[in-house]
Amino acid sequence: MCSILERMQTKILQCAPTNTAMCQVASRLVQERRTQLGPDNFDPCEVIILGHRDKMMELLADSDRQFSMELRIEMVARCVDTLVKALEAALVVSQNRNGGGGGGVGRGGATGGGKGKRGGKKGGTAESNHSATMATQKSVQMVYDAVKVYCKEMKLLVGEKLLRLDLQLIPPFDSITRFVDIVVALRGPDGAGDKGGTGKTPMGTDVRGDGTKSSQQTVLEAAERLPQQVRPFIMFDKNECLDQGTMERRNVTTGLQGLFLMKARSIFSTLNGTFSNHLRDEIAFNIVIVDEAAQATEAETTCIMRECVKTVILVGDPKQLESTVMSADCEKAKFGRSLMERLLTLKHPFYLLETQYRMHPRIAQFSSKNFYDGWLMDSDHVQAYDPPWYKTPQFSAVQFVAHTGTMHSRDNGGSSINELEANLICRRIQSFLTATSSHSTNLSIGIICPYKAQKHLLESLIKTTFRPRQQKQISVNTVDGFQGQERDVIILSLTRVGYVSDFLDDLKRVNVALTRAKFNLWVFGDHKTYNRCLGQFGSFGWFYSHCETLGFVKFVNVSKAEQTQYQQIQQVERNGSENGNSSGVEDDEEEEEEVVGMAEEDEEEEEEDIEDQQHGKFGIVAVEVPMRQAKRFQPGGRGGHNQKLMATLSVGTLESTEASLLDAWDSAFD
């Protein structure tokens, strides 16, 4: 995207199946463009993210929230509201001090009375005149400070060019611009006080200030008018939400939306979000990029194939988890299949993006060899990884922590849980945070649990074991919920003892679980369980063999006292839930349990925690599409993940693809 933006004056629509994936790509683009152009030359209006306000607050870092459409509009309105409140406070100071000297901000009160004896009579004693003059000067200084803060914050939000030119086309920003011009002209661009300004405003308005009391009066009179001009358009309610109760206030929001979309060169949206009112009337996109394309269903991907789209680039990884389809009938009809998968089936050419920019080479070694046929190469960036904690053997890059003496049980819902393993994980995290406290306080730690009961247990232990600041560094989720995300340290809790379910042995799920870490990957599992299936294709015993060969296995024995205590707790639980799912669950029950755990993060549309596989994808698909019948498709389903492919199709070659796609949907709905 940076290359396209650098070489072409074009508008790009960047889509993803989920908000999480979309926001992470947006954050990376902003970071790269700031580095590429420099902080002073980067235009914040170049990037805009479409999404619900609350979700953007959750997903975006503080420094990136200004790129959310809804949050940016709110921030702009907040700047205006702050300016108005500061002006009102400045006027109160002037009025209170001048109450006995002519009243308010009028010709007599604001300037402290008239001239000579006559002024002494009107303004009271010389002492009161001096007090009124000082109050007026203080009020004018407060006005200037408020304007300076407003201009500084607005330049960071929308850029200097938009602030000076385009924004004034939307009421009440035209009135604000004129007011700022007056203040800058009369006070000077550097706040030169009574020396006056240059007489030349940023907008070229000819207003001269001589630093006399009349210039102060002009500033205060303008400050008194502005709140009356702004309040009908911008106001916050008692809940500090932007008030949209009148047509004028809604028009301000609509105008800002249109302006930000018009100025943006990179627009980010979820696939389903492209049907929002913001984009329906938007100008044509020369390029549409779909990230996590292998995780998006065909129905979702066809959302963006309209007449206004010239080229579509699909980026994804078919080697990882695909979209989740809960209905057996829909799964049979292949509703979960991605458009990328269809294109690969049709033998369209693709480009392999073979360099990974996330994992330490030791972490990437297993997946590269066993999932990508050795094609996955390490960038110079990851080859240089050498954090200071590597010097401690306990915190090496890759470890299989093989424990013995633990047992897993079932909660009342039938989900697997292993309390002793959870305690071992918490101890490891405590040791790691203590050892690295002098190196970094921003390290992120992710705990991946295949089972929701183990996930809830670890979340509870983290809340009771770690301080609030440390809790923010640690996140817990299922394998499916972590797809696309990355953490500095990943800890995988395999939980089960004695046997492994087919669900956990899914090749794509294994690949996802083992490719989330940047610096450290620690897998906790029972020694006997995974030693029995050494080298078994597709299972974590396969990974255990890899670690044993390279000397990455660390053995941990659980004390008999801990085992006895745990067994007693288990016995109490079994006695209290004789009719529950406490033991011996078959594979089909396990799969149902895992689907529930997997879908826990998928309950709301477009809100899965799925991010990019890596900075460099393994492949891209570029398609030129004349989807004349795309309106027949409706957004639905949800997303899968990404190998990384690229097929370039001409308008003619897609005709057969389009026809077969339509026929498939017609027959499915019939």
Side-chain angles (χ1 to χ4, degrees), residues 502-605:
D502 293 338
F503 179 87
L504 190 57
D505 275 352
D506 179 87
L507 289 177
K508 294 181 178 181
R509 187 162 280 104
V510 172
N511 190 21
V512 170
L514 297 178
T515 55
R516 305 298 97 202
K518 292 177 64 177
F519 301 117
N520 295 83
L521 171 65
W522 301 327
V523 180
F524 282 70
D526 179 68
H527 164 64
K528 294 181 180 179
T529 301
Y530 294 97
N531 187 50
R532 258 204 319 268
C533 53
L534 284 176
Q536 180 179 328
F537 181 78
S539 74
F540 279 97
W542 191 21
F543 179 70
Y544 185 96
S545 299
H546 168 79
C547 291
E548 190 175 52
T549 301
L550 298 177
F552 296 161
V553 177
K554 176 180 174 59
F555 293 95
V556 176
N557 292 320
V558 178
S559 66
K560 292 185 177 180
E562 286 182 298
Q563 294 181 41
T564 302
Q565 182 182 7
Y566 178 63
Q567 290 171 359
Q568 291 174 349
I569 294 174
Q570 280 189 305
Q571 185 61 43
V572 172
E573 290 177 349
R574 277 197 293 268
N575 294 337
S577 56
E578 293 180 356
N579 298 325
N581 296 329
S582 303
S583 61
V585 178
E586 300 177 357
D587 284 345
D588 57 343
E589 293 176 313
E590 295 172 20
E591 292 189 37
E592 291 177 2
E593 167 209 323
E594 301 311 335
V595 169
V596 173
M598 174 177 57
E600 185 176 47
E601 302 301 323
D602 302 336
E603 290 179 349
E604 296 184 12
E605 196 73 32

Side-chain angles (χ1 to χ4, degrees), residues 86-333:
L87 297 182
E88 292 172 341
L91 293 172
V92 169
V93 170
S94 177
Q95 291 167 359
N96 289 342
R97 292 286 184 173
N98 295 327
V105 188
R107 295 181 181 271
T111 60
K115 297 182 179 179
K117 295 180 180 179
R118 187 179 177 184
K121 293 179 181 179
K122 290 189 176 183
T125 65
E127 184 179 351
S128 63
N129 284 339
H130 177 72
S131 177
T133 300
M134 294 299 294
T136 299
Q137 291 177 354
K138 181 178 180 180
S139 298
V140 172
Q141 185 62 44
M142 290 174 66
V143 170
Y144 178 75
D145 291 342
V147 169
K148 188 163 61 173
V149 170
Y150 169 80
C151 292
K152 180 180 179 181
E153 292 183 354
M154 288 293 287
K155 285 179 182 179
L156 293 175
L157 281 176
V158 301
E160 187 172 359
K161 183 178 179 181
L162 191 97
L163 176 62
R164 289 185 176 184
L165 300 176
D166 303 281
L167 198 60
Q168 65 174 320
L169 300 177
I170 303 173
F173 295 98
D174 52 346
S175 300
I176 297 174
T177 301
R178 288 194 296 268
F179 170 73
V180 171
D181 284 349
I182 291 173
V183 174
V184 172
L186 296 180
R187 293 285 294 173
D190 299 322
D194 290 339
K195 295 181 179 181
T198 61
K200 185 102 170 172
T201 73
M203 300 298 297
T205 307
D206 292 326
V207 179
R208 292 196 175 273
D210 57 5
T212 65
K213 294 179 181 179
S214 62
S215 66
Q216 295 175 349
Q217 175 185 340
T218 302
V219 169
L220 292 177
E221 287 177 349
E224 190 175 27
R225 290 193 301 268
L226 188 65
Q228 301 170 9
Q229 297 168 336
V230 170
R231 286 306 186 195
F233 296 93
I234 295 177
M235 182 176 287
F236 287 83
D237 59 24
K238 61 181 180 181
N239 296 321
E240 291 302 311
C241 297
L242 192 58
D243 191 341
Q244 299 285 285
T246 65
M247 181 63 71
E248 290 82 1
R249 291 168 188 167
R250 289 193 292 272
N251 287 342
V252 172
T253 299
T254 303
L256 290 174
Q257 289 173 348
L259 180 61
F260 293 151
L261 284 174
M262 180 180 67
K263 293 297 180 182
R265 295 183 60 199
S266 302
I267 299 175
F268 290 81
S269 173
T270 59
L271 287 167
N272 290 338
T274 58
F275 271 84
S276 69
N277 292 327
H278 302 317
L279 295 180
R280 282 178 180 170
D281 300 325
E282 181 55 30
I283 61 176
F285 294 98
N286 291 329
I287 299 174
V288 174
I289 300 175
V290 182
D291 193 35
E292 310 287 1
Q295 191 185 357
T297 63
E298 287 180 301
E300 286 179 308
T301 308
T302 52
C303 289
I304 48 89
M305 295 185 179
R306 312 174 191 172
E307 295 179 0
C308 63
V309 175
K310 297 181 180 179
T311 303
V312 175
I313 300 175
L314 305 180
V315 184
D317 184 1
K319 296 290 186 180
Q320 297 195 11
L321 292 168
E322 65 282 343
S323 59
T324 302
V325 177
M326 305 301 292
S327 167
D329 293 335
C330 289
E331 185 175 2
K332 184 178 180 180

Side-chain angles (χ1 to χ4, degrees), residues 446-449 454-455 458-459 462 474-478 482:
I447 306 176
I448 299 179
C449 304
Q454 185 76 349
K455 172 180 177 288
L458 280 162
E459 287 174 335
I462 289 169
I474 307 170
S475 55
V476 188
N477 214 328
T478 59
F482 255 113

Side-chain angles (χ1 to χ4, degrees), residues 280-401:
R280 282 178 180 170
D281 300 325
E282 181 55 30
I283 61 176
F285 294 98
N286 291 329
I287 299 174
V288 174
I289 300 175
V290 182
D291 193 35
E292 310 287 1
Q295 191 185 357
T297 63
E298 287 180 301
E300 286 179 308
T301 308
T302 52
C303 289
I304 48 89
M305 295 185 179
R306 312 174 191 172
E307 295 179 0
C308 63
V309 175
K310 297 181 180 179
T311 303
V312 175
I313 300 175
L314 305 180
V315 184
D317 184 1
K319 296 290 186 180
Q320 297 195 11
L321 292 168
E322 65 282 343
S323 59
T324 302
V325 177
M326 305 301 292
S327 167
D329 293 335
C330 289
E331 185 175 2
K332 184 178 180 180
K334 296 187 177 181
F335 278 18
R337 179 172 55 182
S338 66
L339 181 59
M340 174 175 280
E341 182 181 349
R342 178 186 286 272
L343 293 173
L344 292 176
T345 303
L346 295 175
K347 306 298 182 183
H348 286 302
F350 65 88
Y351 296 95
L352 183 68
L353 302 182
E354 56 192 19
T355 304
Q356 67 91 10
Y357 295 84
R358 174 189 294 165
M359 300 171 283
H360 186 281
R362 290 182 187 173
I363 300 175
Q365 183 180 5
F366 178 80
S367 292
S368 176
K369 177 182 177 181
N370 295 288
F371 294 107
Y372 302 110
D373 300 322
W375 284 97
L376 190 60
M377 296 188 299
D378 304 315
S379 67
D380 294 338
H381 172 67
V382 300
Q383 290 185 37
Y385 281 172
D386 189 23
W389 59 85
Y390 279 179
K391 297 177 182 178
T392 305
Q394 183 183 8
F395 305 134
S396 58
V398 179
Q399 274 189 21
F400 194 110
V401 182

Side-chain angles (χ1 to χ4, degrees), residues 625-669:
V625 284
M627 293 298 289
R628 297 185 302 274
Q629 304 181 60
K631 294 180 180 179
R632 296 178 58 185
F633 296 100
Q634 299 296 327
R638 54 184 71 245
H641 205 55
N642 57 86
Q643 173 170 339
K644 324 223 169 190
L645 309 155
M646 185 154 197
T648 304
L649 309 180
S650 68
V651 171
T653 57
L654 192 64
E655 295 293 337
S656 59
T657 304
E658 179 184 353
S660 60
L661 201 157
L662 290 168
D663 291 342
W665 275 76
D666 288 339
S667 61
F669 283 115

